[in-house]
Amino acid sequence: MGAGRGLDSRMSTPRTPLVVLLVTAILLALGGVLWAADASAGADVAWTLGSLVPLSLLIRSTVTSLRHGRVGVDVIALLAIGGALALGEYLTAGVIGLMLATGQYLDAYAAGRAERELTALLSHAPVTAHVIRNGDIVNVDVSEVVTGDRLVVGTGDVVPVDGMV
């Protein structure tokens, strides 16, 4: 759901996708309970609200994407929810909203996990290299390593630069 990534970057906090997902799911469940209790008007209201929560964020991201000349999958979701609401298919609109909210949450979760993994990987990157200069092993900053330098890499060390062995 690459087009959804734009939505995540415009959300106010990292928890927003989870909050949207939970609120949407609760409203859909409430609609189901009301429908089972033979309160179809209340169910329709709950399902409509359940579709409007993710729809409000979707409208904002879609307008921004369109301003930048990008058309993505979010436009289809926007049209699907809007069409379902216009046709009085409130449960359908709510389910589409739930699918959208779930996708946004999973996208935000994956992005957060990837960021944590990359940060952990970068934290293990060496900042110094053992270079042989004038017959001696000298510690230098990795930015000072130049083409042609011979490096000493000890057992268990991470190779500090790209090169040929």
Side-chain angles (χ1 to χ4, degrees):
M1 191 169 235
R5 192 172 296 277
L7 180 64
D8 289 344
S9 66
R10 289 169 193 77
M11 291 184 174
S12 56
T13 68
R15 291 192 179 136
T16 301
L18 178 60
V19 171
V20 169
L21 175 59
L22 291 174
V23 168
T24 301
I26 289 168
L27 287 167
L28 258 62
L30 174 63
V33 169
L34 290 169
W35 180 80
D38 209 24
S40 61
D44 288 346
V45 169
W47 291 331
T48 299
L49 292 174
S51 69
L52 293 179
V53 172
L55 183 65
S56 63
L57 295 173
L58 181 62
I59 290 171
R60 184 174 61 180
S61 73
T62 301
V63 168
T64 302
S65 294
L66 291 174
R67 282 186 183 154
H68 290 96
R70 295 186 313 262
V71 179
V73 181
D74 289 350
V75 173
I76 295 170
L78 180 66
L79 292 172
I81 293 173
L85 289 173
L87 293 173
E89 296 293 334
Y90 307 112
L91 175 58
T92 302
V95 169
I96 295 168
L98 182 64
M99 290 169 41
L100 178 69
T102 301
Q104 293 303 327
Y105 171 72
L106 292 173
D107 193 38
Y109 175 80
R113 184 168 181 184
E115 183 176 340
R116 286 189 301 276
E117 294 297 327
L118 285 172
T119 300
L121 182 63
L122 288 174
S123 72
H124 290 93
V127 293
T128 60
H130 310 297
V131 181
I132 298 175
R133 295 212 173 129
N134 299 324
D136 294 324
I137 299 175
V138 184
N139 288 335
V140 298
D141 189 80
V142 292
S143 64
E144 296 175 21
V145 176
V146 295
T147 302
D149 277 345
R150 290 181 51 203
L151 304 178
V152 176
V153 180
T155 304
D157 284 351
V158 176
V159 178
V161 293
D162 290 335
M164 293 191 322
V165 178

